[in-house]
Amino acid sequence: MIKKSIVIIVLIFCSGHIYGQNRWISNVEIDFVFPQKKEYTYFDGRKNNDVKLKDHGFLLKSFGIQGDYSYLLFKKFSIGALGGFQTLSNPDYVMLKLGGIFRYYFVDPDNVYVYLLSNYNFTLDQEKFKNGGNVRIGLGFPVLKRSGFNINANIFAENNVLSLRGARPLLGFVDEEPNSLEVSSFGISFGVKF
């Protein structure tokens, strides 16, 4: 199944290079993310516990940068590969991201669109968390159009679920064995489409 998916993706990308470059779209964005709910699950030696973590101070607790390279399958639909990173404070994490993105353009690629992306999150510091997933749905629109690029703005809602098995405990309780952290957020981003 995975081999078949890889072959299909390679054929789509190769066909774009053979039949013309105008079907390829690149995007680079800066994300400002506002976590709304953080739910931490841990085992205390007897049972699983769910704790809602509180944020104090400034509302902006996360930011990131991501880029994607997408292929316009049809006039209004594109699919692409995506990479980037995102930070989170309280707890202090840096998440590297690899995944895919789907966009539906209401008129054409230079106008309003909705998108769905899914990422695999991983880290270089395995003591903080192991890996996880990210799903985001959003609405994007151009704020400035030029002949070679657009400056776009996006609003979105996202959910990150991180596996904390074997990571450092967040609360410092006796016999605390971390299980997972789920962070639900909304955000805005600004980017350039080439």
Side-chain angles (χ1 to χ4, degrees):
M1 181 72 174
I2 292 175
K3 288 181 182 179
K4 190 183 276 186
S5 298
I6 292 171
V7 168
I8 291 170
I9 290 170
V10 168
L11 288 174
I12 289 171
F13 287 142
C14 289
S15 69
H17 285 292
I18 292 168
Y19 295 111
Q21 298 294 326
N22 62 346
R23 299 187 71 85
W24 290 95
I25 301 169
S26 298
N27 289 279
V28 178
E29 298 174 355
I30 297 174
D31 301 329
F32 301 96
V33 186
F34 305 93
Q36 296 300 295
K37 182 178 110 177
K38 295 180 185 174
E39 190 165 312
Y40 172 53
T41 303
Y42 68 94
F43 183 71
D44 67 5
R46 297 186 317 270
K47 63 181 172 103
N48 283 324
N49 297 282
D50 293 327
V51 176
K52 290 187 180 7
L53 300 179
K54 300 287 184 195
D55 278 326
H56 303 287
F58 188 57
L59 180 63
L60 179 63
K61 298 290 183 181
S62 178
F63 71 91
I65 296 174
Q66 64 184 24
D68 68 83
Y69 192 54
S70 298
Y71 181 73
L72 192 61
L73 289 174
F74 307 103
K75 181 182 174 185
K76 296 184 178 185
F77 182 72
S78 69
I79 182 171
L82 180 136
F85 80 94
Q86 184 175 343
T87 65
L88 178 67
S89 61
N90 191 26
D92 185 22
Y93 293 156
V94 174
M95 300 171 277
L96 301 174
K97 298 174 171 284
L98 289 174
I101 185 166
F102 303 96
R103 284 189 181 89
Y104 175 78
Y105 304 95
F106 291 108
V107 178
D108 61 42
D110 287 325
N111 287 290
V112 179
Y113 57 90
V114 293
Y115 66 94
L116 173 69
L117 66 82
S118 178
N119 288 312
Y120 173 74
N121 293 337
F122 60 99
T123 183
L124 301 178
D125 187 352
Q126 295 285 306
E127 290 184 0
K128 291 191 175 183
F129 76 93
K130 300 304 179 190
N131 55 44
N134 169 268
V135 175
R136 179 184 292 182
I137 186 166
L139 173 70
F141 48 91
V143 292
L144 179 66
K145 294 182 185 181
R146 293 291 182 252
S147 62
F149 67 93
N150 285 357
I151 295 178
N152 292 332
N154 301 286
I155 55 173
F156 60 85
E158 75 171 11
N159 198 48
N160 281 292
V161 179
L162 306 175
S163 173
L164 303 182
R165 290 191 177 102
R168 283 186 295 219
L170 296 181
L171 303 176
F173 295 150
V174 177
D175 297 327
E176 178 185 344
E177 295 177 28
N179 185 22
S180 66
L181 177 66
E182 182 174 353
V183 182
S184 299
S185 310
F186 73 90
I188 57 173
S189 65
F190 300 96
V192 180
K193 174 187 120 8
F194 302 98

